[in-house]
Amino acid sequence: MKKAEKTRSYIIEQTAEIFNKKGYAATSLSDITKATGLTKGSIYGNFESKEEVAIAVFEHLANFVHNAVQHALGKDYPSQRDRLVAVTELYRNGWSQFFVKGGCPLLNAATEADDTFPELKKYTSNAFERWAKEIVKVIDAGIRSGEFNEDINAKDYAYLFIMLIEGGILLSKTHSRQNHLHKALDRIIKIIDDEIVA
């Protein structure tokens, strides 16, 4: 890795939690310089603007979520049902790693960027689409193997699961209690067993 790439990575890693906790608009250049120990000139020598840092940070955080979901889905499970349930276990067991660092970075960015940061909104939309595609792959595999009902819409269920997870995270974060997220995850498992499994 070249020096410039190392510096960019360093800036991204040192500021990711700050952006996720404070928000993309509220994180200031002085927050970035304080977190990294670098000068303003050094930051702007590696990024054209604070917005460029914000997008790079979001991509970094979104990749973290994507890799965690892929890892959960990629394990060797006896059934496609177990692979879907693995996503609920990822969030059930990973409560602390998401909440201590400010909550779900996809949810945070999507909420903030909706009307104020159109470029970031594009990136968040793509991140949710990528997550949905991973779930769709598992559902499609279950349909092909005969494990899942053949008349279900995989994409609809993928987005329903994401809505339940993100809604559960939002309420749990707001009330500082895990129970809302756990209820959402329990509901996903019930939907899998009652509506998806053949």
Side-chain angles (χ1 to χ4, degrees):
M1 193 184 284
K2 293 177 183 174
K3 187 181 178 186
E5 289 171 347
K6 280 184 184 174
T7 305
R8 279 177 67 92
S9 293
Y10 174 75
I11 293 167
I12 290 165
E13 286 165 13
Q14 295 302 308
T15 60
E17 192 171 326
I18 297 166
F19 274 104
N20 199 42
K21 282 183 173 176
K22 286 188 78 171
Y24 292 86
T27 300
S28 66
L29 186 58
S30 62
D31 289 326
I32 297 170
T33 57
K34 187 178 176 186
T36 59
L38 300 172
T39 64
K40 225 183 265 192
S42 183
I43 303 296
Y44 285 133
N46 289 281
F47 294 94
E48 288 183 18
S49 64
K50 188 190 96 169
E51 288 71 27
E52 190 183 347
V53 179
I55 287 168
V57 164
F58 174 75
E59 285 190 290
H60 170 76
L61 292 169
N63 281 333
F64 172 79
V65 174
H66 180 72
N67 291 340
V69 169
Q70 269 196 321
H71 180 71
L73 291 171
K75 290 182 182 171
D76 192 19
Y77 292 103
S79 70
Q80 299 303 323
R81 181 229 179 242
D82 291 339
R83 291 182 73 202
L84 288 181
V85 170
V87 176
T88 68
E89 292 309 308
L90 166 67
Y91 282 90
R92 198 182 303 274
N93 299 327
W95 165 270
S96 59
Q97 76 179 2
F98 283 105
F99 286 79
V100 170
K101 296 183 177 182
C104 176
L106 274 61
L107 176 63
N108 292 348
T111 304
E112 183 179 354
D114 187 34
D115 296 313
T116 59
F117 195 165
E119 189 69 14
L120 183 58
K121 184 179 178 180
K122 248 187 337 191
Y123 281 88
T124 57
S125 176
N126 290 340
F128 281 118
E129 183 70 26
R130 190 164 63 147
W131 183 6
K133 283 178 181 173
E134 293 299 326
I135 297 172
V136 166
K137 279 186 212 168
V138 177
I139 296 174
D140 282 344
I143 292 169
R144 283 193 306 272
S145 69
E147 185 184 342
F148 295 160
N149 291 313
E150 61 180 23
D151 57 348
I152 61 172
N153 185 309
K155 194 169 185 180
D156 286 351
Y157 278 105
Y159 276 107
L160 176 60
F161 294 168
I162 292 169
M163 286 186 279
L164 284 165
I165 290 168
E166 294 296 349
I169 289 172
L170 177 64
L171 286 173
S172 286
K173 184 93 171 80
T174 303
H175 295 287
S176 299
R177 289 195 309 270
Q178 300 177 31
N179 64 314
H180 296 294
L181 175 58
H182 287 193
K183 283 179 184 175
L185 299 173
D186 291 343
R187 174 62 60 183
I188 290 171
I189 295 170
K190 185 163 176 45
I191 289 167
I192 292 166
D193 290 336
D194 291 354
E195 300 177 27
I196 295 178
V197 174

